[in-house]
């Protein structure tokens, strides 16, 4: 056997001996009334094969008794002591266990930051708490808050918060001590001083009373926000505070979803204590006792120790103590409260907290503290629950509305009406819909001034002031969401999008101009028409000349004419074209297929053009727009005879006042100087109608106005883009509910429906018809291009047919007169492209019939011969002159004559 195996056996046997021989006993010290903790220790010890020795202290603060019990436990040879006493008494346990070198496991917050070496504190350390609390206060953006703590307890967990009160952070922190059994006086005092945010650092046993007293003194309303340090807040029944609207945030350190051991422990605990608790209802200290036993158990798996009976009187110390303590501190263990990780001083630091909030639908986890970071994931409240959960239920809200059409109207017969019945409008209907969804009541307060920050005093006025000072709960009208306003109040989700436009008088209609008939078509169309007529004229001549059917006998009574004539001279072709355009026709009528085809396409084209022209001309001669004196902001500013303005104290006013653009600034200065600002939109509209006055108005209001005042219109583009929202005080508890309800209304199209009703139907909507501000139409090239294409395609096709016709004729002649096709083609083309001479000689004498001389005689003096001769000789000559070409097989004379002879009517 090797030495190693011997050693292994030895070690193994020693371990066996120690587990069997040493009874694994854990000591526990508790107050007599701490039943739950004692039960927890018993269950856990049983689960992990420990025996327990429990000492019960009869009275709180009995130091001597506590010290005696610690020594008794040491004498029994326990492996360590679980301390359920806490508070200052723990310091005494600490002192003795330090001397004895016995592990001392604490499960409660200790008010002293003890660095004594024997302690292991399973409760989250003050360092961990300080980090998470600081981060939460920053996230909640508390600028001032009050720390409430119980007399006799330190604020070790809130030291970072106390530092927040220094000048750099600019937060105001107040500390209030809760004393005795009645906290109400302190709380009333806090209320009188306007405290709304509270951090509560008190033990779990005081929580219930504190919550009750806070509710009794009226510190549990929507405006109040609490942050509780104790991880036991959500083990309490908070049902009675659910609908108060108060914001309560707290921690939990167990992981209820992912821990099988927790369920097992809960069942055992319920059985022992005859209770029916959920895991989340078990107090943290009870769970931590379980975790303390786990820490012992896991460490003892790694280190071999023998229990020893120790005496306080002899100042004994346990020789395995320091080893076991070190293992317990460095071993990473998983308990019911997630991972148990300690630092070198036995403090539990890397803690994972669940963050919970009390909402009207119960306790909700809103985020986590993990890896020293705050992760907020606020859950979405399903739509269906909004009405049910609403903290607005049965509340009566003071709602500001403005007498601005169509958002709010004071009914004309209002003297006979009372309360909310006096008003109607878009905003009134919208509030009603929100009230239906959220279950609140409301009373309207009329306010004309929307609110603007005074540039000198920096004070707010109007609706914004009323919301800031909580004189009203909501403001609903055409209230624009602006950054400046948002810095002092909150806005709901936007319910409308718009921009600033210019409202001005529509230019009056003028009598038609002298040449207004020309404006029916754009210039381009006119140019193309002219060009096409010229081009088509040329095409017609060409096609006419190459189509042999167009060569007609000019004297029908002569059967064998000597000449044929063609009607397509330039003048005739143009006459035919113009006659069609004018819908008059002409006596020129094409005969051959190709010219007929081209003429038909042209007729079709002219029909389309004329019909379009006539159609539009009517509109042109009846509607004639006058010219707008300005089209943009620049030209309005230049136009000295036109004044302009906006609604006073509104966002349009602020837009010009605060704009960085020089033009806006100049315009604002003039508006202000000249007193062109108006207190109400109605007044601006009336001025725009009666004076040369341009009114800067929001596009939604312009839309409303132009539906009713047909002589007004919007000029140019919008100057900006913004939205309307419902105003409420900063951090209003209603915001979330109103946002959700508004979103639902938007998605269902309810807001659009309301808009259609108040813009287009009620109170004179639809007065101006549909296209009141449409421009006169003008036919441009893009409108007429189809007709041009038909004409082009038809002409090309006709040209193609005429060329085929010509080639067929050329071919026939070349066969008949036994010449080459090419020769005939060249001769034909030469004749055609001459574009002159609408007479063609007909000489049908065959080669063999009669002498060439005779033929020449016949043809002499005729145009064609003349031309043929000149072609042959290569120059223009007198018809009487003869030419000789040495290069040809025949004399030029004889050839010319022969060609002339062949020009017969076939
Ligand atoms: N919507 C504007 C506001 O919220 C009022 C109208 C205007 O300024 O044109 O102040």
């Amino acid at each position: 056997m090797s030495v190693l195996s011997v050693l292994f056996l030895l070690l193994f046997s020693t371990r066996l001996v120690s587990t069997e021989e040493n009874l694994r006993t854990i000591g526990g010290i508790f107050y007599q009334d701490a039943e739950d903790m004692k039960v927890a220790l018993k269950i856990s010890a049983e689960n992990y094969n420990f025996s327990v020795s429990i000492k019960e202290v009869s009275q709180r603060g009995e130091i001597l008794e506590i010290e005696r019990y610690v020594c008794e436990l040491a004498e029994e040879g326990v492996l360590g002591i679980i301390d359920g006493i806490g508070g200052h008494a723990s310091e005494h346990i600490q002192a003795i266990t330090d001397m004895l070198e016995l592990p001392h496991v604490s499960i409660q917050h200790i008010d002293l930051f003890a660095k004594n070496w024997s302690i292991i504190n399973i409760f989250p350390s003050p360092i961990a708490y300080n980090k998470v609390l600081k981060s939460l206060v920053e996230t909640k953006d508390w600028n001032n808050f009050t720390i409430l703590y119980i007399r006799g307890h330190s604020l070790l967990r809130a030291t970072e918060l106390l530092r927040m009160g220094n000048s750099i952070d600019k937060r105001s922190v107040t500390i209030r001590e809760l004393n005795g059994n009645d906290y109400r006086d302190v709380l009333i005092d806090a209320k009188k001083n306007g405290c709304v945010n509270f951090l509560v650092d008190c033990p779990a046993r005081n929580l219930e009373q504190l919550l009750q007293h806070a509710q009794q003194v009226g510190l549990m309303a929507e405006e109040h926000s609490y942050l509780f340090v104790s991880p036991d807040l959500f083990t309490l029944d908070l049902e009675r505070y659910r609908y108060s609207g108060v914001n309560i945030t707290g921690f939990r350190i167990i992981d209820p979803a992912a821990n099988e051991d927790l369920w097992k422990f809960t069942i055992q605990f319920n059985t022992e204590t005859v209770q029916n608790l959920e895991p989340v209802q078990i107090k943290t200290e009870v769970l931590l006792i379980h975790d303390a036993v786990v820490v012992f158990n896991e460490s003892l798996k790694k280190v071999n120790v023998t229990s020893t009976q120790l005496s306080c009187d002899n100042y004994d110390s346990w020789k395995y103590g320091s080893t076991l303590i070190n293992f317990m501190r460095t071993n990473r263990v998983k308990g019911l409260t997630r991972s148990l990780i300690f630092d070198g001083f036995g403090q539990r630091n890397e803690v994972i907290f669940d963050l919970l909030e009390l909402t009207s639908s119960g306790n909700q986890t809103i985020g986590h503290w993990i890896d020293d970071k705050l992760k907020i994931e606020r859950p979405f409240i399903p739509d269906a629950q909004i009405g049910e959960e609403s903290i607005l239920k049965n509340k009566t809200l003071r709602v500001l509305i403005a007498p601005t059409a169509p958002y709010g109207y004071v009914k004309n017969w209002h003297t006979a009406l009372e309360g909310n019945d006096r008003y109607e409008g878009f905003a009134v209907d919208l509030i009603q819909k929100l009230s239906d969804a959220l279950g609140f009541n409301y009373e309207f307060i009329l306010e004309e001034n929307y609110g603007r920050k005074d540039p000198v005093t920096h004070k707010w006025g109007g609706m914004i002031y009323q919301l800031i000072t909580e004189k009203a709960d909501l403001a609903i009208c055409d209230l624009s969401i602006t950054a400046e306003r948002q810095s002092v109040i909150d806005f709901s989700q936007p319910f409308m999008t718009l921009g600033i436009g210019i409202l001005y008088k529509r230019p009056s209609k003028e009598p038609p101009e002298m040449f207004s008939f020309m404006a029916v078509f754009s210039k381009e169309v006119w140019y193309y028409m002219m060009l096409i007529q010229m081009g088509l004229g040329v095409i017609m001549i060409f096609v006419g000349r190459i189509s042999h059917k167009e060569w007609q006998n000019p004297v029908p009574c002569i059967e064998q004419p000597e000449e044929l004539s063609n009607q397509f001279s330039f003048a005739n072709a143009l006459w035919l074209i113009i006659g069609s355009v004018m819908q008059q026709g002409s006596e020129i009528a094409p005969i051959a297929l190709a010219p007929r085809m081209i003429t038909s396409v042209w007729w079709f084209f002219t029909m389309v053009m004329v019909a379009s022209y006539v159609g539009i001309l009517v509109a042109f001669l009846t509607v004639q727009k006058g010219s707008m004196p300005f089209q943009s902001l620049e030209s309005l500013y230049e136009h000295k005879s036109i004044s302009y303005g906006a609604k006073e104290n509104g966002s349009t006013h602020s837009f010009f006042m605060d704009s960085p653009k020089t033009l806006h600034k100049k315009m604002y200065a003039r508006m202000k100087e000249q007193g062109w600002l108006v207190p109400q939109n109605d007044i601006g509209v009336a001025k725009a109608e009666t004076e040369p006055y341009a009114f800067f108005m929001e596009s939604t209001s312009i839309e409303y106005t132009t539906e009713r005042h047909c002589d007004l219109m919007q000029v140019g583009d919008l100057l900006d883009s913004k939205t309307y929202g419902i105003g409420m005080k900063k951090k209003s508890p209603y915001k979330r509910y109103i946002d959700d309800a508004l979103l639902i209304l938007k998605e269902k199209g309810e807001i659009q429906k309301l808009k259609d009703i108040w813009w287009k139907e009620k109170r004179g909507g639809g007065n101006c018809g549909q296209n009141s501000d449409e421009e006169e139409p003008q036919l441009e090239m893009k409108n007429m291009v189809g007709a041009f294409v038909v004409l082009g395609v038809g002409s090309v096709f006709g040209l193609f047919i005429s060329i085929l016709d010509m080639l067929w004729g050329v071919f026939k002649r070349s066969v008949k007169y036994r010449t080459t096709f090419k020769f005939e083609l060249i001769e034909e083309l030469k004749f055609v492209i001459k574009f002159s001479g609408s007479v063609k000689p007909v000489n049908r004498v065959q080669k063999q019939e009669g002498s060439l001389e005779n033929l020449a005689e016949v043809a002499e003096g005729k145009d064609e011969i003349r031309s043929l001769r000149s072609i042959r000789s290569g120059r223009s000559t007198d018809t009487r002159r003869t030419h000789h070409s040495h290069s040809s097989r025949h004399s030029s004379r004889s050839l010319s004559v022969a060609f002339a002879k062949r020009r017969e009517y076939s």
Side-chain angles (χ1 to χ4, degrees):
M1 249 205 285
S2 69
V3 184
L4 259 175
S5 358
V6 173
L7 265 174
F8 177 77
L9 266 180
L10 265 173
L11 241 165
F12 188 66
S13 52
T14 320
R15 197 173 168 82
L16 268 181
V17 169
S18 64
T19 355
E20 276 169 21
E21 284 177 3
N22 289 315
L23 259 180
R24 302 198 321 165
T25 308
I26 297 175
I29 297 187
F30 305 99
Y31 287 117
Q32 262 173 1
D33 56 359
E35 256 335 294
D36 288 355
M37 283 198 264
K38 285 181 264 174
V39 171
L41 180 58
K42 279 180 200 154
I43 298 169
S44 313
E46 215 172 283
N47 287 348
Y48 296 99
N49 288 327
F50 286 102
S51 60
V52 286
S53 172
I54 293 175
K55 303 291 174 196
E56 296 179 20
V57 180
S58 56
Q59 266 183 38
R60 276 171 212 280
E62 268 300 323
I63 306 301
L64 289 177
E65 200 182 350
I66 292 168
E67 285 184 3
R68 198 180 74 233
Y69 284 145
V70 175
C71 291
E72 278 179 21
L73 287 171
E75 277 163 23
E76 286 172 25
V78 292
L79 298 172
I81 294 172
I82 294 179
D83 168 5
I85 299 284
H88 292 298
S90 278
E91 290 165 33
H92 297 274
I93 302 176
Q94 178 66 57
I96 302 170
T97 50
D98 267 5
M99 178 192 79
L100 297 168
E101 296 190 17
L102 259 186
H104 167 208
V105 183
S106 171
I107 45 135
Q108 280 156 345
H109 165 65
I110 297 180
D111 277 336
L112 263 178
F113 202 161
K115 288 195 172 176
N116 305 53
W117 68 268
S118 74
I119 197 162
I120 294 151
N121 194 350
I122 310 254
F123 195 86
S125 77
I127 298 175
Y129 264 111
N130 270 301
K131 284 186 199 165
V132 65
L133 290 176
K134 183 173 184 235
S135 179
L136 262 173
V137 166
E138 281 167 358
T139 309
K140 281 173 167 273
D141 201 15
W142 279 357
N143 285 327
N144 47 58
F145 59 95
T146 302
I147 300 177
L148 296 174
Y149 77 104
I150 304 281
R151 172 173 271 184
H153 287 264
S154 80
L155 283 172
L156 205 58
R157 292 183 282 191
T159 43
E160 283 290 334
L161 302 187
L162 294 172
R163 276 193 213 123
M164 280 180 150
N166 66 23
S167 54
I168 304 162
D169 238 325
K170 287 203 186 104
R171 284 178 216 261
S172 120
V173 187
T174 316
I175 306 167
R176 285 176 193 272
E177 190 184 68
L178 302 168
N179 197 0
N181 289 330
D182 196 341
Y183 308 140
R184 279 171 288 211
D185 289 342
V186 179
L187 295 173
I188 289 170
D189 194 45
K191 191 182 173 191
K192 274 192 198 145
N193 283 294
C195 302
V196 285
N197 303 321
F198 298 94
L199 178 114
V200 185
D201 185 2
C202 69
R205 60 179 174 276
N206 304 96
L207 286 176
E208 219 150 352
Q209 186 162 351
L210 178 86
L211 287 167
Q212 271 177 25
H213 287 184
Q215 193 177 41
Q216 285 164 7
V217 303
L219 276 179
M220 279 284 182
E222 304 91 64
E223 61 267 34
H224 301 119
S225 186
Y226 289 83
L227 180 51
F228 283 86
V229 178
S230 167
D232 283 326
L233 177 75
F234 288 99
T235 62
L236 303 178
D237 179 10
L238 301 174
E239 183 64 23
R240 61 202 293 193
Y241 312 109
R242 244 173 83 172
Y243 298 104
S244 62
V246 64
N247 182 306
I248 293 181
T249 311
F251 304 99
R252 185 151 69 193
I253 58 170
I254 58 162
D255 182 7
N259 208 324
E260 263 181 50
D261 290 345
L262 177 64
W263 283 102
K264 186 178 155 198
F265 179 81
T266 308
I267 294 164
Q268 289 174 326
F269 185 75
N270 279 339
T271 319
E272 287 294 322
T273 55
V274 200
Q275 291 185 83
N276 195 16
L277 299 175
E278 292 286 317
V280 289
Q281 291 174 306
I282 298 178
K283 294 272 180 289
T284 308
E285 57 193 14
V286 170
L287 300 171
L288 289 180
I289 286 188
H290 170 276
D291 285 359
V293 175
V294 173
V295 171
F296 272 110
N297 187 47
E298 292 299 317
S299 305
L300 288 169
K301 279 184 189 168
K302 297 198 171 167
V303 60
N304 187 24
V305 299
T306 314
S307 62
T308 312
Q309 293 174 342
L310 305 165
S311 157
C312 290
D313 300 335
N314 297 340
Y315 303 105
D316 281 346
S317 57
W318 188 30
K319 65 173 175 174
Y320 297 104
S322 56
T323 319
L324 183 59
I325 289 166
N326 282 338
F327 266 92
M328 287 169 84
R329 282 178 179 173
T330 49
N331 209 7
R332 290 186 169 226
V333 178
K334 218 167 158 34
L336 300 182
T337 57
R338 299 189 173 101
S339 297
L340 300 152
I341 302 164
F342 304 95
D343 63 11
F345 301 108
Q347 299 286 332
R348 187 175 171 188
N349 274 340
E350 293 170 45
V351 190
I352 298 173
F353 289 111
D354 284 346
L355 292 171
L356 281 92
E357 207 169 70
L358 177 69
T359 70
S360 45
S361 54
N363 302 340
Q364 293 207 357
T365 306
I366 56 154
H368 306 276
W369 174 259
I370 188 164
D371 297 335
D372 281 352
K373 278 190 199 79
L374 199 58
K375 292 180 183 154
I376 302 284
E377 315 131 8
R378 191 175 290 277
F380 175 68
I381 300 168
D383 297 344
Q385 291 177 20
I386 288 171
E388 216 176 286
E389 288 178 351
S390 167
I391 57 159
L392 289 155
K393 222 172 192 117
N394 299 329
K395 289 233 159 73
T396 302
L397 304 187
R398 294 151 300 166
V399 181
L400 293 164
I401 52 166
T404 306
Y407 306 94
Y409 298 97
V410 180
K411 289 182 191 165
N412 293 341
W413 53 94
H414 69 96
T415 39
L417 298 170
E418 279 185 0
N420 292 347
D421 289 345
R422 285 169 296 167
Y423 311 107
E424 64 174 3
F426 173 86
V428 175
D429 285 0
L430 184 55
I431 272 292
Q432 182 55 47
K433 285 207 182 288
L434 290 174
S435 137
D436 291 345
L438 300 170
F440 63 86
N441 304 315
Y442 52 88
E443 64 187 48
F444 288 127
I445 308 169
L446 207 61
E447 170 63 89
E448 284 185 10
N449 183 350
Y450 289 20
R452 186 173 62 89
K453 191 167 155 185
D454 190 292
V456 183
T457 61
H458 296 287
K459 285 202 174 125
W460 284 89
M463 291 187 175
I464 308 295
Y465 173 76
Q466 301 217 37
L467 291 176
I468 296 173
T469 53
E470 297 183 27
K471 292 200 166 83
D473 299 302
L474 300 178
I476 177 160
C477 56
D478 50 334
L479 189 67
S480 310
I481 303 178
T482 63
E484 199 177 34
R485 285 175 178 170
Q486 184 122 34
S487 66
V488 289
I489 60 162
D490 270 351
F491 282 99
S492 69
Q493 285 263 347
F495 60 83
M496 234 178 240
T497 307
L498 59 132
I500 300 173
I502 309 173
L503 183 78
Y504 194 69
K505 215 177 306 138
R506 191 182 291 282
S508 53
K509 286 173 189 158
E510 288 169 6
E513 284 167 17
M514 195 154 83
F515 292 105
S516 60
F517 62 86
M518 290 294 288
V520 174
F521 287 136
S522 69
K523 277 188 200 134
E524 271 174 311
V525 177
W526 286 120
Y527 292 150
Y528 279 116
M529 290 264 285
M530 270 148 62
L531 213 71
I532 275 201
Q533 288 184 36
M534 295 294 178
L536 205 68
V538 175
I539 290 174
M540 288 301 276
I541 300 166
F542 181 72
V543 170
R545 288 178 79 81
I546 62 174
S547 306
H548 69 273
K549 272 200 178 161
E550 287 295 338
W551 292 98
Q552 292 283 327
N553 179 0
V555 192
C557 48
I558 300 172
E559 274 192 24
Q560 291 283 318
E562 290 191 353
E563 301 174 329
L564 300 175
S565 70
N566 192 315
Q567 58 180 339
F568 282 108
S569 64
F570 189 71
N572 281 356
L574 221 55
W575 185 240
L576 171 71
I577 288 166
I578 290 170
S580 326
V581 176
M582 298 300 166
Q583 305 282 284
Q584 296 305 315
S586 69
E587 70 282 8
I588 318 285
I591 297 157
L593 180 65
R596 277 188 176 174
M597 183 168 224
I598 295 174
T599 310
S600 316
V601 178
W602 174 248
W603 284 343
F604 173 76
F605 174 78
T606 52
M607 183 184 77
V608 173
M609 295 304 278
V610 169
S612 313
Y613 179 82
V614 172
I616 300 295
L617 185 67
V618 177
F620 257 81
L621 296 181
T622 47
V623 183
Q624 272 294 312
K625 67 165 182 201
S627 59
M628 180 57 74
F630 63 91
Q631 280 298 346
S632 62
L633 216 55
E634 286 79 8
S635 51
L636 172 61
Y637 179 69
E638 299 302 330
H639 224 289
K640 301 291 177 215
S641 59
I642 300 177
S643 52
Y644 43 81
K647 181 182 185 308
E648 231 171 7
N649 295 326
S651 56
T652 310
H653 181 165
S654 304
F655 169 82
F656 281 98
M657 189 177 76
D658 305 331
S659 173
K661 289 192 183 162
T662 325
L663 178 68
H664 295 168
K665 278 190 192 311
K666 281 189 204 161
M667 290 185 100
Y668 176 68
R670 216 190 278 174
M671 281 186 226
K672 190 103 205 212
E673 234 171 68
Q674 307 286 338
W676 289 339
L677 292 165
V678 293
Q680 281 294 323
N681 275 352
D682 292 352
I683 301 172
V685 171
K687 267 170 93 75
E689 245 177 340
T690 51
E691 298 168 25
Y693 179 81
F695 186 45
F696 294 113
M697 202 187 198
E698 283 164 339
S699 54
T700 38
S701 299
I702 293 185
E703 214 179 298
Y704 170 84
T705 307
T706 53
E707 276 280 338
R708 287 152 184 83
H709 300 259
C710 314
D711 50 345
L712 294 177
M713 64 180 285
Q714 182 186 321
V715 185
D717 297 330
L718 299 183
L719 308 183
D720 69 347
S721 168
K722 53 180 153 235
T723 47
Y724 293 148
I726 300 176
M728 57 198 97
K729 72 168 190 188
K730 205 81 191 135
K731 300 232 172 82
S732 166
Y734 308 144
K735 177 173 160 50
R736 188 169 135 211
Y737 299 95
I738 289 180
D739 278 351
D740 289 338
L742 261 181
L743 210 61
I744 295 169
L745 288 180
K746 269 206 271 188
E747 279 168 11
K748 284 189 187 157
E750 294 288 338
I751 294 190
Q752 187 56 43
K753 258 191 233 161
L754 280 186
K755 192 177 171 213
D756 289 344
I757 292 171
W758 285 104
W759 264 250
K760 300 196 173 130
E761 293 168 20
K762 290 203 175 182
R763 295 213 173 218
N767 199 18
C768 302
Q770 280 262 301
N771 301 322
S772 50
D773 55 354
E774 259 185 19
E775 298 258 307
E776 294 95 358
Q778 186 181 47
L779 292 174
E780 294 179 16
M781 201 52 207
K782 63 176 184 280
N783 309 113
M784 305 311 299
V785 82
F788 280 86
V789 168
V790 171
L791 176 68
V793 172
S795 308
V796 169
F797 195 57
L799 204 63
F800 178 69
I801 290 179
S802 70
I803 289 170
L804 283 184
D805 185 29
M806 178 193 78
L807 293 176
W808 180 241
V810 167
F811 173 72
K812 276 204 310 195
R813 278 200 299 281
S814 69
V815 171
K816 197 167 180 181
Y817 301 115
R818 291 190 210 122
T819 51
T820 61
F821 179 80
K822 190 178 163 196
F823 172 77
E824 288 292 339
L825 182 65
I826 292 170
E827 292 304 324
E828 179 72 24
L829 287 179
K830 278 178 184 167
F831 178 73
V832 169
I833 60 176
K834 211 168 49 161
F835 283 109
S836 69
S838 53
V839 177
K840 204 184 220 181
V842 178
N843 199 330
R844 308 182 48 96
V845 184
Q846 301 280 333
K847 208 176 174 180
Q848 53 275 51
E849 291 166 13
S851 72
L852 281 174
E853 298 312 315
N854 286 343
L855 286 173
E857 286 300 307
V858 173
E860 207 149 65
K862 303 294 182 268
D863 279 354
E864 192 174 350
I865 294 173
R866 237 183 359 246
S867 70
L868 281 170
R869 275 180 184 156
S870 64
I871 293 159
R872 274 276 159 255
S873 63
R875 51 195 163 116
S876 173
T877 57
D878 181 45
T879 45
R880 299 280 163 190
R881 282 171 62 188
T882 347
H883 298 272
H884 300 275
S885 167
H886 300 290
S887 61
S888 73
R889 282 193 291 139
H890 309 284
S891 73
S892 65
R893 180 176 151 78
S894 60
L895 265 175
S896 306
V897 171
F899 188 75
K901 230 172 38 171
R902 283 188 270 126
R903 286 271 167 221
E904 59 184 305
Y905 179 72
S906 58

